[in-house]
Amino acid sequence: MAGYRIPQTTIAHELLVKGSRFIAVVGHTPSVAARRQFVQEAQQSWPQASHYCLAAITGAPNHEQSYAMSDDGEPSGTAGRPMLQVLMKQEVGEVTAVVVRYFGGTKLGTGGLQRAYSQVVVEAMQLLQTTVKVLRNEYILCFDYADQAAVDYAMGQFDAKLGTAEYLQQVKLTLELEPEKVDAFNQVLHGQTQGRVTLQPQED
C-alpha cells in the first residue's frame, strides 16, 4: 500500500525553558489555505505571544516544494528551520507545527533557541497520533448499464473510490484506485463482464 503518514489529531504541548513558555501546536493541514487557518487559530488560542514560529509540509514528506517555515522575529535560523528538520525526520506529511513563545525575560542565545524550538516539536510529535494516507490514481470506466452490477462488485472488492458519474447512452465513471491494485481489478472485471469492460487511466 503506497502512502504516507498524516496527523490524525491536533496536539498542543508545552515546554518551559528559563522562564520562557514554548507551546507547540501540531496538526493536519492538507493545503496552504488550511495551514494559514491553522496559524490563525493558534494565534487566537494563545494571544499576545512574543512569537508564532512555523514549520509546515503541505504535501508528501519528501516533497520539498511543499515546505514552509518562519522565524517570526526570532534570530534567523533559530526557529523555523530546526522545527522543519524535526518534521522531515518524522516523515509525516500534510502537517503544520506552530510554536508559540511567551518570552520569560532571559535570553537563550542562538543555540538555546534552536534547542528549545526543536525539542518542543520533537516532544509534540511523540504525542501525535497519525494515520496513513493511501495514494490513489484516477481512472475511467465506460460500460453498458447491464454491467453496472459487475462494476459495483469490482469496486467493492478493491476499495475503489467513486469520483464522478455520467449516465448517458453508456455509464462513464471516474474512480480513484491504488495503482498496485489495477491489474487485479481488471482481472476481476474481465471475468465478471467477459472482457467487455477495462479500467483506463485518466488523461491529464
Side-chain angles (χ1 to χ4, degrees):
M1 180 175 64
Y4 54 86
R5 293 189 301 137
I6 60 174
Q8 189 175 21
T9 58
T10 296
I11 189 75
H13 174 72
E14 183 169 341
L15 176 69
L16 189 64
V17 181
K18 294 184 179 180
S20 283
R21 296 174 62 199
F22 293 84
I23 305 164
V25 191
V26 183
H28 182 221
T29 52
S31 66
V32 173
R35 183 187 76 208
R36 290 171 178 164
Q37 180 66 29
F38 190 84
V39 174
Q40 290 176 359
E41 290 174 356
Q43 292 170 336
Q44 292 168 359
S45 298
W46 289 273
Q48 298 180 332
S50 306
H51 306 279
Y52 299 91
C53 300
L54 166 75
I57 302 173
T58 305
N62 58 353
H63 188 207
E64 293 184 6
Q65 292 182 345
S66 68
Y67 296 166
M69 58 185 174
S70 169
D71 294 316
D72 191 37
E74 292 282 32
S76 179
T78 61
R81 182 166 295 281
M83 291 165 58
L84 181 60
Q85 289 173 342
V86 172
L87 297 185
M88 292 165 61
K89 289 179 182 178
Q90 295 290 325
E91 296 185 346
V92 176
E94 300 182 9
V95 59
T96 291
V98 176
V99 175
V100 181
R101 183 190 181 191
Y102 289 94
F103 181 57
T106 301
K107 293 185 177 181
L108 303 181
T110 299
L113 287 172
Q114 290 173 337
R115 287 190 294 272
Y117 278 104
S118 61
Q119 181 181 345
V120 72
V121 177
V122 166
E123 293 177 2
M125 293 299 290
Q126 291 172 345
L127 300 172
L128 183 70
Q129 295 181 12
T130 62
T131 187
V132 175
K133 178 175 182 176
V134 178
L135 299 182
R136 300 171 184 268
N137 290 341
E138 196 167 81
Y139 301 90
I140 294 175
L141 273 179
C142 294
F143 54 91
D144 293 329
Y145 287 86
D147 291 318
Q148 179 74 64
V151 170
D152 290 343
Y153 173 79
M155 288 177 61
Q157 287 290 104
F158 295 96
D159 191 30
K161 304 299 183 184
L162 177 63
T164 62
E166 295 180 12
Y167 297 94
L168 301 173
Q169 289 184 337
Q170 280 192 316
V171 181
K172 180 180 179 181
L173 305 181
T174 59
L175 306 179
E176 291 183 355
L177 184 66
E178 297 166 56
E180 60 268 26
K181 293 183 178 180
V182 170
D183 289 343
F185 183 97
N186 273 329
Q187 186 175 0
V188 168
L189 197 58
H190 289 170
Q192 293 287 316
T193 65
Q194 288 74 52
R196 291 188 300 273
V197 185
T198 300
L199 198 65
Q200 301 293 335
Q202 173 74 288
E203 296 181 359
D204 295 333

